[in-house]
Amino acid sequence: MDADDCDPTLLQVGIKVFCVTLPSYTYKVIHTEVVPVRSLDGKTVFGSGQLERLRTTVKQVGASFVFTSLDILKKSQIGEMEEAFGCKVLDRYSTVLHIFRHRARTTEARLQVALAEIPYIRYRAPGPHEKALVEVREKKLRLALSRLSGQRELLRKNRNKSGIPTVAVVGYTNAGKTTLIHSLTGDSRAEGRDQLFATLDVTVHGGPLPCGLSVVFVDTVGFIQDIPTNLVASFKATLEDAILADVVIHVCDVSHPAHENQATTVAKTLASLPLLPETPVITIANKVDRLDHNTQQLLGDVLAVSATTGQGLQTLLELVESEVLRVTGRKTYKFQLPTGSDEIRWLRGFVGLAKEEVDASNPQVTHITTVLTKQQLAQFGNYCRLRE
């Protein structure tokens, strides 16, 4: 069940109700409609006549679940609908949480999901004692996450200290971010899955640019339209790597019928983050292999790629390289060095080589092309002087 089926403009006049079945743990939408309501603040959502009409519809279509495109329903509101419909009723918050629980694999992801559940539990806590217990649990979860956040910060500082540039890959959930990283780096740990929120943890994957420079591609949690504020806050730590990246790649799944709305959602989320003004954001149109030729022509100037077939990936790497060199102050340098020399080995091990070619007329000389910061160039100069 895709979040894009929920049009936020419709919520101004009503709520959108989905009737779904659940064969083999897969949601299948079998009926959808917009239902006008007078108010969402009362103990019940619908009047008796509206509720009876919906009850008849749910029975007729044979729904196993009813999903309402609202953030958090009151306990009394859910109770009224479940009694009338004779099946489980889910709101938007519980649905996203359900997906998160099944996707969380690491300790940090599980802690973040548990923290995201706190507002939901607090909202339904029956009395002061239960609310106090919720507060205690929230403090413990925040403390545990704080400790893990400290470890993440240490790892980030080590990456920065090594001088390895960072490229954050962001996008709507199931846009193909992980598959793209796998195709760019060859890292077997980055294996994409065709499902919502397949990635809840930030993972890093090293790979070379065409110039030989090693960079780290950061896989981030997918975005979603109208995601509840508390869920965003709980996963804020996973977005910090995007905030601090040298370059951001925004992956759009152009094969999705609502890809324009998805792209807008991601753009708004990025705009809400304290990204540095100079951080370049490269937007790409992914999954173009699923489009016919005429539809591809409508993409305009957006870089068209396919993470599965490899279309456009070399161009993407070259574009990423151009931006990385620009924002990190690196430049391309060419050297003529003795073949097999320690200087070549130093460059190869320290920064990587874009090109290494033995001179055809003089095998004792090798032409080297590499990229260096001013500091690295000075270090290389000092190393060469010490070798003299």
Side-chain angles (χ1 to χ4, degrees):
M1 180 168 48
D2 201 306
D4 290 303
D5 292 322
C6 309
D7 185 346
T9 61
L10 297 175
L11 301 185
Q12 297 173 7
V13 294
I15 64 172
K16 203 161 189 178
V17 175
F18 298 84
C19 298
V20 300
T21 57
L22 193 58
S24 302
Y25 301 99
T26 301
Y27 287 99
K28 178 183 178 183
V29 178
I30 57 176
H31 178 77
T32 177
E33 65 176 280
V34 179
V35 184
V37 295
R38 289 175 302 218
S39 172
L40 299 174
D41 298 325
K43 292 183 178 180
T44 61
V45 175
F46 305 110
S48 57
Q50 188 74 275
L51 187 64
E52 178 60 26
R53 185 189 67 77
L54 288 172
R55 186 192 71 80
T56 301
T57 300
V58 170
K59 298 294 183 182
Q60 287 177 344
V61 300
S64 301
F65 282 83
V66 171
F67 168 74
T68 59
S69 184
L70 291 170
D71 192 346
I72 300 180
L73 285 172
K74 295 180 180 179
K75 190 174 181 179
S76 61
Q77 294 170 338
I78 288 181
E80 176 203 44
M81 284 188 275
E82 289 186 342
E83 182 178 354
F85 301 154
C87 64
K88 187 75 173 177
V89 174
L90 302 173
D91 54 26
R92 192 177 186 84
Y93 204 100
S94 63
T95 301
V96 176
L97 270 179
H98 178 74
I99 298 172
F100 277 16
R101 286 192 207 99
H102 284 270
R103 300 288 186 263
R105 290 177 174 81
T106 66
T107 299
E108 184 171 19
R110 293 188 184 100
L111 285 171
Q112 288 176 134
V113 171
L115 183 61
E117 287 181 296
I118 291 296
Y120 204 75
I121 298 172
R122 182 188 293 117
Y123 193 70
R124 285 168 168 71
H129 177 68
E130 288 76 12
K131 283 183 168 59
L133 292 176
V134 172
E135 296 298 326
V136 171
R137 175 167 172 75
E138 181 178 14
K139 288 180 181 179
K140 289 182 178 180
L141 289 171
R142 291 192 182 281
L143 179 60
L145 274 172
S146 176
R147 290 169 180 162
L148 288 177
S149 178
Q151 296 175 14
R152 183 193 294 279
E153 180 63 25
L154 181 60
L155 291 173
R156 190 184 294 124
K157 286 181 179 179
N158 289 337
R159 286 207 307 268
N160 293 338
K161 190 180 298 184
S162 68
I164 300 177
T166 302
V167 179
V169 181
V170 304
Y172 206 85
T173 182
N174 207 30
K177 300 180 295 298
T178 305
T179 301
L180 176 70
I181 291 175
H182 174 75
S183 298
L184 293 177
T185 66
D187 192 337
S188 60
R189 294 178 301 118
E191 294 186 2
R193 295 181 295 277
D194 186 14
Q195 55 188 216
L196 300 180
F197 299 108
T199 299
L200 285 185
D201 301 284
V202 168
T203 58
V204 295
H205 310 270
L209 295 176
C211 65
L213 177 67
S214 294
V215 297
V216 169
F217 290 90
V218 182
D219 198 359
T220 60
V221 63
F223 300 162
I224 186 172
Q225 181 182 356
D226 296 333
I227 190 167
T229 304
N230 288 310
L231 285 176
V232 174
S234 299
F235 282 82
K236 181 182 177 182
T238 65
L239 299 176
E240 290 177 356
D241 288 272
I243 296 171
L244 300 174
D246 296 295
V247 175
V248 175
I249 298 176
H250 172 193
V251 184
C252 301
D253 173 9
V254 290
S255 70
H256 195 286
H259 67 87
E260 292 182 353
N261 288 337
Q262 292 182 351
T264 299
T265 295
V266 176
K268 287 181 178 179
T269 304
L270 287 176
S272 70
L273 302 175
L275 279 174
L276 295 176
E278 61 270 23
T279 303
V281 178
I282 301 171
T283 300
I284 63 172
N286 190 30
K287 303 186 184 181
V288 293
D289 54 299
R290 301 183 181 183
L291 305 180
D292 58 43
H293 177 73
N294 292 333
T295 306
Q296 288 192 35
Q297 299 304 308
L298 299 176
L299 296 177
D301 297 331
V302 180
L303 178 58
V305 307
S306 170
T308 55
T309 68
Q311 177 183 339
L313 296 191
Q314 184 61 33
T315 302
L316 173 59
L317 280 173
E318 292 170 356
L319 183 56
V320 170
E321 174 182 293
S322 175
E323 294 292 0
V324 165
L325 297 186
R326 181 179 65 82
V327 299
T328 63
R330 287 174 165 83
K331 292 184 178 180
T332 301
Y333 295 92
K334 296 182 178 180
F335 302 102
Q336 295 183 37
L337 299 171
T339 300
S341 65
D342 289 337
E343 288 83 355
I344 293 178
R345 283 191 287 271
W346 188 92
L347 283 171
R348 189 186 296 125
F350 190 56
V351 294
L353 303 178
K355 192 174 181 181
E356 184 176 357
E357 187 176 55
V358 176
D359 194 308
S361 61
N362 183 6
Q364 300 302 314
V365 174
T366 297
H367 300 277
I368 298 295
T369 303
T370 188
V371 294
L372 301 167
T373 63
K374 289 183 179 180
Q375 181 181 6
Q376 290 170 338
L377 180 62
Q379 289 175 306
F380 180 59
N382 290 334
Y383 180 80
C384 292
R385 284 190 289 272
L386 290 174
R387 298 290 302 169
E388 293 176 355

